[in-house]
C-alpha cells in the first residue's frame, strides 16, 4: 500500500459518500445515470468473487464489502425508493449499456490472465469499469446542467482513477516485477474518458461559476 | 520478500 493507492481508494470512497449524501439529503437522483450505477454494481460483484477464496487484508475485505453494498444500495434506491425513483431522468438515460456488458465480457474471454471463471470475471470487471462512466457522461451532456453534488461525485471518481495511475507508476518503479497490462491499460483508458469532464470542471472552478457542459 | 497477491488492488 502506497500513498497514491490509499488516496485513490479514499477518493473512490468519498465519491460514493457524496452520491449517497445527494440521494439521502435531497431524496433525488436527478442527474445520476442508473445505468452507470448498475454497471458499477455488476463490476464489484464480478470482481470480488475472490472475497471468500483469497484473503489479502482486513482493509481489502472491508473495502470490497463496502463497495458491493453501497453500489447495490444506490441501485436499489434508484429503482425502488418511492421518492428517489420519481426523480430519475429516465428519458435522458438512454445509453444502451448492455452493449458495454456484452463487449466487456467478450473481451474478457479473449484477453485474460488465466482461463478460469474467477480470472475471466476479474478481467470482465476491469474492462466494464473502464467504460461504466459512459452512460453518466452522456446523461450529463444531454441535461447540460450539473448540480454541485453530482459534479463533485464525478470529480472524485475521476480523481480516484488518476491516483491509481500514480500508484501504478510508483509500483512499477519500486517493485521488481510489477507488470499488469490488463489493469493498467484499462485504467488509462478509463481515466482518459474523464479528461473532457475535468476540463469543464476546472474551467467552472476557475471562474467560480456553475458547471455547465457544452451541448 | 513480501509475497504480493495477484489482485491486491480494489
Amino acid at each position: 500500500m502506497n500513498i497514491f493507492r490509499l488516496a485513490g481508494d479514499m477518493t473512490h470512497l468519498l465519491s460514493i459518500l457524496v452520491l449517497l449524501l445527494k440521494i439521502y439529503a435531497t431524496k433525488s437522483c436527478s442527474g445520476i445515470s442508473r445505468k452507470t450505477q448498475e454497471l458499477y454494481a455488476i463490476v464489484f460483484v464480478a470482481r470480488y468473487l475472490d472475497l471468500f477464496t483469497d484473503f489479502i487484508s482486513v482493509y481489502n475485505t472491508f473495502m470490497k464489502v463496502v463497495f458491493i453494498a453501497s453500489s447495490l444500495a444506490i441501485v436499489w434506491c434508484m429503482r425502488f425508493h418511492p421518492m428517489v425513483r420519481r426523480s430519475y431522468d429516465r428519458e435522458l438515460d438512454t445509453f444502451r449499456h448492455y452493449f458495454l456488458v456484452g463487449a466487456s465480457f467478450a473481451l474478457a474471454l479473449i484477453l485474460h490472465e488465466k482461463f478460469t471463471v474467477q480470472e475471466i470475471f476479474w478481467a470482465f470487471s476491469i474492462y466494464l469499469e473502464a467504460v461504466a462512466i459512459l452512460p453518466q457522461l452522456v446523461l450529463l451532456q444531454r441535461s447540460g446542467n450539473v448540480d454541485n453534488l453530482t459534479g463533485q461525485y464525478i470529480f472524485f471518481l475521476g480523481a480516484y482513477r488518476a491516483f491509481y495511475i500514480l500508484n501504478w507508476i510508483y509500483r512499477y518503479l519500486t517493485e521488481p516485477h510489477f507488470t499488469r497490462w490488463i489493469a493498467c491499460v484499462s485504467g488509462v483508458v478509463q481515466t482518459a474518458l474523464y479528461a473532457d469532464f475535468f476540463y469543464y470542471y476546472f474551467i467552472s472552478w476557475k471562474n467560480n461559476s456553475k458547471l455547465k457542459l457544452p451541448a | 520478500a513480501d509475497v504480493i497477491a495477484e489482485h491486491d488492488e480494489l
Side-chain angles (χ1 to χ4, degrees):
Chain A
M1 175 74 87
N2 58 63
I3 189 72
F4 303 113
R5 158 81 197 280
L6 185 65
D9 287 348
M10 290 305 115
T11 42
H12 193 186
L13 203 56
L14 207 54
S15 74
I16 293 170
L17 287 177
V18 167
L19 181 54
L20 285 170
L21 175 75
K22 175 197 156 78
I23 293 174
Y24 182 78
T26 65
K27 295 284 180 290
S28 157
C29 62
S30 71
I32 300 296
S33 163
R34 194 178 77 194
K35 296 187 171 181
T36 282
Q37 297 306 318
E38 285 173 352
L39 294 181
Y40 281 136
I42 295 170
V43 163
F44 293 134
V45 171
R47 185 173 311 163
Y48 301 151
L49 289 177
D50 64 355
L51 201 49
F52 302 103
T53 57
D54 297 284
F55 179 78
I56 293 160
S57 64
V58 172
Y59 170 83
N60 207 280
T61 302
F62 174 77
M63 294 293 269
K64 285 174 176 174
V65 172
V66 168
F67 287 146
I68 291 176
S70 57
S71 62
L72 291 176
I74 290 164
V75 171
W76 185 88
C77 280
M78 294 185 78
R79 277 189 175 271
F80 304 114
H81 189 284
M83 281 176 76
V84 175
R85 63 187 292 229
R86 266 185 286 167
S87 57
Y88 172 49
D89 299 319
R90 188 180 307 271
E91 66 291 344
L92 295 175
D93 195 19
T94 53
F95 195 96
R96 277 181 281 188
H97 63 325
Y98 292 112
F99 280 116
L100 298 178
V101 177
S104 302
F105 197 77
L107 189 59
L109 287 175
I110 303 165
L111 281 176
H112 46 256
E113 288 182 1
K114 273 186 238 128
F115 193 74
T116 63
V117 172
Q118 250 184 30
E119 285 296 323
I120 286 171
F121 274 98
W122 180 84
F124 161 65
S125 82
I126 294 289
Y127 301 140
L128 189 59
E129 186 188 354
V131 291
I133 195 68
L134 287 175
Q136 177 65 62
L137 293 176
V138 167
L139 191 155
L140 286 189
Q141 198 100 52
R142 287 201 181 146
S143 64
N145 275 322
V146 187
D147 67 79
N148 283 336
L149 286 172
T150 303
Q152 275 150 16
Y153 164 65
I154 297 168
F155 173 78
F156 283 127
L157 214 48
Y160 142 63
R161 295 316 313 179
F163 279 124
Y164 256 69
I165 289 184
L166 294 177
N167 154 58
W168 291 324
I169 294 171
Y170 181 85
R171 293 187 73 168
Y172 179 76
L173 297 173
T174 56
E175 290 175 23
H177 302 291
F178 185 77
T179 46
R180 265 170 229 220
W181 292 111
I182 290 180
C184 294
V185 173
S186 310
V188 170
V189 169
Q190 185 176 354
T191 313
L193 295 179
Y194 289 89
D196 198 49
F197 174 84
F198 263 103
Y199 173 76
Y200 292 106
Y201 190 90
F202 177 71
I203 297 279
S204 79
W205 174 78
K206 208 178 80 179
N207 300 336
N208 204 11
S209 62
K210 208 166 147 41
L211 177 58
K212 265 192 166 178
L213 298 175
Chain B
D2 286 329
V3 177
I4 297 155
E6 243 179 314
H7 301 314
D8 60 341
E9 291 176 348
L10 291 165

